[in-house]
Amino acid sequence: TDPEKVLTELQKKLDSNITSVGKLLQPGDNEGERETELEHAAMCSEALMEEYLETGELSAENISDTVAERKLFPCFFGSALKQWGITELLDGLNAYLPKPEYPEEFGARVYKIGRDNAGIRLSYLKVTGGSLRVKMPVGNSRSGAGEEIWEEKCDQLRLYNGGSYEAVDTVKAGEVCAVTGLTKTFAGQGLGYESENSTPILEPVLTYRLLLPPEVDPVVALGKLRQLEEEEPQLHVLWQEENREIHMQVMGQVQMEILKNILWERFGLEVEFDAGSIVYKETLAEPVEGIGHFEPLRHYAEVHLLLEPGERGSGLQFASLCSEDMLDRNWQRLILTHLEEKRHVGVLTGSELTDLRILLIAGKPTP
């Protein structure tokens, strides 16, 4: 591959300030190439140009500031297979990327759910503030608005290197680790001071019925698929109780082939998919109020819900406008939690509802 040709194409198609900087940290080596890189980098901002004209050099600090301002986009060339250019890339990341500043208060972002060879559930997360310690309680008190608020202890902190890991007592801000003992986490969830949950940008648009062998109990298979669902946020598993059928919303043929291989390798399930259909969703055109009974543990509350159309792409949003004098906070939280857990379907095609605000506006508990 011709680096100059590739760089010219990147500048033409993406941004003219994409600049090769692999030689900037190596004074005295390939001075001709380094001087060319200095000139190109200096043209990306007035601050860099002034420094270059005054000193003939560019400081890593000024380059880092220019990168943060999105005025310079560093480009490195190399090959991991041939062990070429790796050192320059790592040195450049260390020198030119802005150093993150982490708060002292604990925070973390879950980015993956997995399981080890023994089937132990692992929450892969990045610590974004403070530090995480073994047996330290963590929870979703900040990010769990409208959800069940929980707190659990971290049994083990693992630093993975390939398939092996090292168990440590503390993980500091900026580091990633796998945590055992957390049973309610999900990919994108914020813990500690993190106040928002991240949701997948892409949503599956096709639904397929899962075809199981006759001897396999669909309920048993459903439990195994639920494990995969929490490990892969873009996989949606739907259970149709009336027909005892499992339907799956996936991205397409490639994901289906991967799923078939995973189900066979991990659970010994040999499955197929039917022809599939497009995923349709329903919403409301006008607000409507509904009244019903919420009946957990042989107690019930009369519940008044207001359903309002939401903005396109907003999904389902849940909130309470009910006074605590009318309905206790614990009741309200329990009702909202169960509303979020349920899959709500429309009356036109039986498709899943979306882009709605479901508001708890009134209620009356049993005496």
Side-chain angles (χ1 to χ4, degrees):
T1 303
D2 184 354
E4 291 187 8
K5 183 178 179 181
V6 173
L7 182 59
T8 300
E9 187 175 359
L10 289 172
Q11 292 171 339
K12 181 179 179 181
K13 292 186 176 181
L14 300 178
D15 195 288
S16 60
N17 283 356
I18 297 176
T19 304
S20 176
V21 294
K23 304 297 182 184
L24 295 188
L25 293 175
Q26 301 174 0
D29 185 19
N30 295 320
E31 281 298 329
E33 295 182 19
R34 185 172 183 275
E35 189 65 27
T36 300
E37 291 187 357
L38 282 170
E39 292 177 358
H40 289 170
M43 295 175 64
C44 293
S45 76
E46 292 183 6
L48 291 182
M49 179 60 73
E50 290 179 3
E51 182 184 13
Y52 178 67
L53 293 176
E54 292 176 2
T55 67
E57 289 288 339
L58 295 176
S59 65
E61 182 180 357
N62 281 344
I63 293 178
S64 176
D65 292 341
T66 308
V67 171
E69 295 169 356
R70 301 182 61 81
K71 294 180 179 179
L72 187 155
F73 303 94
C75 180
F76 297 85
F77 292 93
S79 169
L81 182 62
K82 298 180 179 179
Q83 293 292 302
W84 164 64
I86 307 304
T87 301
E88 290 84 351
L89 172 62
L90 295 178
D91 289 344
L93 292 175
N94 184 58
Y96 300 141
L97 290 187
K99 303 298 186 294
E101 297 182 0
Y102 298 107
E104 295 184 1
E105 183 181 2
F106 168 74
R109 175 76 61 186
V110 181
Y111 65 88
K112 177 182 175 183
I113 302 297
R115 285 171 174 78
D116 64 10
N117 295 332
I120 298 175
R121 189 179 192 271
L122 301 174
S123 299
Y124 292 85
L125 53 84
K126 177 178 180 179
V127 179
T128 58
S131 61
L132 180 62
R133 301 179 301 277
V134 172
K135 299 303 179 182
M136 174 178 167
V138 300
N140 66 336
S141 58
R142 300 278 185 89
S143 64
E147 303 175 4
E148 176 188 2
I149 303 300
W150 56 267
E151 185 176 83
E152 296 178 323
K153 290 185 178 181
C154 303
D155 291 338
Q156 190 179 48
L157 307 180
R158 301 180 180 182
L159 300 182
Y160 270 89
N161 183 8
S164 60
Y165 67 87
E166 175 189 2
V168 297
D169 294 329
T170 304
V171 177
K172 297 181 180 180
E175 298 181 332
V176 297
C177 65
V179 181
T180 67
L182 305 181
T183 63
K184 299 180 180 180
T185 51
F186 57 85
Q189 187 174 34
L191 304 176
Y193 80 84
E194 295 282 359
S195 60
E196 294 183 356
N197 297 324
S198 301
T199 56
I201 297 176
L202 298 177
E203 288 286 340
V205 296
L206 298 172
T207 182
Y208 296 86
R209 181 167 62 94
L210 192 67
L211 306 177
L212 297 167
E215 67 274 11
V216 176
D217 186 346
V219 177
V220 175
L222 179 64
K224 301 181 185 302
L225 287 166
R226 291 299 185 197
Q227 290 187 20
L228 297 182
E229 185 179 34
E230 68 175 6
E231 295 171 14
E232 176 48 68
Q234 292 180 347
L235 174 65
H236 296 177
V237 179
L238 310 175
W239 170 249
Q240 291 194 356
E241 180 66 38
E242 60 275 13
N243 299 321
R244 290 177 60 83
E245 291 180 348
I246 299 174
H247 291 242
M248 304 183 70
Q249 295 179 2
V250 297
M251 301 300 292
Q253 190 67 34
V254 174
Q255 190 180 22
M256 288 165 55
E257 292 299 324
I258 295 173
L259 281 172
K260 288 196 289 187
N261 290 335
I262 293 176
L263 288 171
W264 172 251
E265 293 174 358
R266 287 182 55 174
F267 307 118
L269 290 177
E270 189 172 1
V271 303
E272 294 292 339
F273 294 90
D274 67 2
S277 59
I278 298 175
V279 176
Y280 291 99
K281 292 190 176 183
E282 296 185 28
T283 189
L284 291 179
E286 298 178 356
V288 63
E289 181 177 341
I291 303 174
H293 286 157
F294 174 69
E295 303 183 10
L297 303 176
R298 287 178 289 184
H299 298 278
Y300 78 90
E302 183 179 297
V303 177
H304 294 241
L305 298 176
L306 176 63
L307 281 66
E308 296 181 337
E311 295 183 3
R312 179 66 63 88
S314 62
L316 294 181
Q317 299 176 323
F318 301 87
S320 175
L321 302 178
C322 182
S323 167
E324 292 184 15
D325 295 333
M326 179 181 297
L327 193 62
D328 186 75
R329 177 185 298 181
N330 291 333
W331 273 100
Q332 295 188 33
R333 181 176 295 172
L334 194 59
I335 291 169
L336 291 174
T337 297
H338 284 275
L339 282 172
E340 290 197 9
E341 291 175 347
K342 181 177 175 56
R343 176 175 176 264
H344 303 278
V345 298
V347 298
L348 298 178
T349 64
S351 301
E352 187 174 358
L353 288 173
T354 189
D355 298 344
L356 288 180
R357 295 182 67 225
I358 301 180
L359 306 173
L360 176 62
I361 57 174
K364 182 174 67 175
T366 54

